[in-house]
Amino acid sequence: MSFDPAARSWIPVDPSNDFPIQNLPFGEIERRDEEGMLSPATRIGDHVVDIGVLIEAGIIESTMGESGLDLLLADVGIAGLKQIRQQLFDLLREDASLLRDNADLRTRAVLPVDQVHIEMPLPVPNFVDFYSGIHHASNVGRMFRPDQPPLLPNYRHIPIGYNGRASSVVVSGTNIHRPWGQNKPANAESPVFEPSRELDFELEMGFFVGEDTMLGEPVAIARAEDHMVGLVMVNDWSARDIQRWEYQPLGPFLAKSFGTSISPWIVTFDALDPWRIQGPEQDPPPTSYLHRPRPCHFDIELEVSIQTARATRPQVVCRSNTKHLYWDFAQQLAHQTVNGTNLSVGDLYASGTISGPDEGSFGSLLEATWRGTKPIRIEETGEERTFLEDGDTVVFRAWCEGDGYRIGFGECRGTVLPAVRQ
């Protein structure tokens, strides 16, 4: 679909809204009037469009109907989703009458967003978390290895990552319990078992896989985007004290697996293409299988806010941008599969923490407070934060700014609940 920045919809959309007709992301909804029935959907302004209803009406071609985005994707594939997005665009533009003037169909298919439950967009069979934010990796190196170079020798040669816990990936709005675990205080002779005292957020973006591959068949970087549905925001919650004790020699485990939040709308590369950029220079040049035919970096503004239990409004604590990633999304997928590992529809790949070069752009409290030595002051209440406390709500936002519109991701939101008693 060609990108039309001048297009407008017959559904009113405020210029500050994340979901103009140029966006049309994919997600999954449960209608409040039909509980238990899942349906693929798109979002425009403050409304959702039930794609399942349009399939039943014969306007959009598919055999699946109201069966969820995963089954629709299995039926039509990524190329089919692109065609459906084009059909939605043609139905919703201001001069299109087919859906607009059919009152009965419009009432069933176009719903205010508060009349549906927004679900996980796709089931997640596998979850991988990368470490592609070079400023974050450098900051962590300076904090924990002050007598060594900030980056380990392999960082500029391969996208570093690890396999995370898919079962605890949850949709925005799901609360997160403070995790229990072992940690070893600096002056203690042995570790203690207690709720984490250093709970943190991690500002990340992620992509969903939309096509299976066979075991033993790598995905060439030139075809990497062909396997992706699009991008979501990711908050990979982290327990820093637990992680510090457990991560050697095999990396994160309990410190990460207790919860990962994602935004519910998958924003497609077609919507983001005007903001495609070259990304940072990679020195030394990557190995041949990581050479990019075109960049898969994007100029997406990122923002993190915290609202404490005592506060009446959120306070911005970070502004960053996806352009600060060292390894782009295509390189991440090409590296993941170069050994022949197979992909499954719904696999989620997260970028790693996206920090910028300046203090106000650090994508975690670990960095923003520099291991707790520089507390953040909550202006409304006078509270201070080094790490997250019970009752704190963390909200991520992401968007690209156009001329009179914005391509956004909505929210990725979660509130910290007390640890469950052992």
Side-chain angles (χ1 to χ4, degrees), residues 29-107:
I29 61 170
E30 179 189 48
R31 300 172 65 111
R32 293 185 187 275
D33 59 355
E34 296 181 6
E35 291 191 6
M37 292 293 294
L38 299 178
S39 186
T42 192
R43 175 82 183 262
I44 181 163
D46 294 325
H47 291 76
V48 297
V49 179
D50 188 328
I51 297 172
V53 170
L54 299 180
I55 292 172
E56 286 192 343
I59 294 177
I60 288 178
E61 293 185 8
S62 172
T63 62
M64 301 314 297
E66 297 184 9
S67 303
L69 181 60
D70 57 331
L71 295 180
L72 177 62
L73 185 57
D75 182 41
V76 304
I78 295 175
L81 278 189
K82 289 176 176 285
Q83 294 175 0
I84 288 174
R85 185 170 174 272
Q86 177 67 63
Q87 290 176 280
L88 291 167
F89 181 86
D90 293 339
L91 285 169
L92 295 171
R93 64 184 306 153
E94 59 187 349
D95 58 351
S97 61
L98 180 61
L99 178 57
R100 181 193 64 198
D101 296 347
N102 185 331
D104 178 64
L105 181 59
R106 188 183 68 241
T107 299

Side-chain angles (χ1 to χ4, degrees), residues 144-145 148 242-253:
F144 293 101
R145 300 184 303 274
Q148 302 176 40
I242 297 172
Q243 184 176 354
R244 209 162 39 241
W245 174 238
E246 74 175 5
Y247 84 101
Q248 294 181 341
L250 293 181
F253 189 50

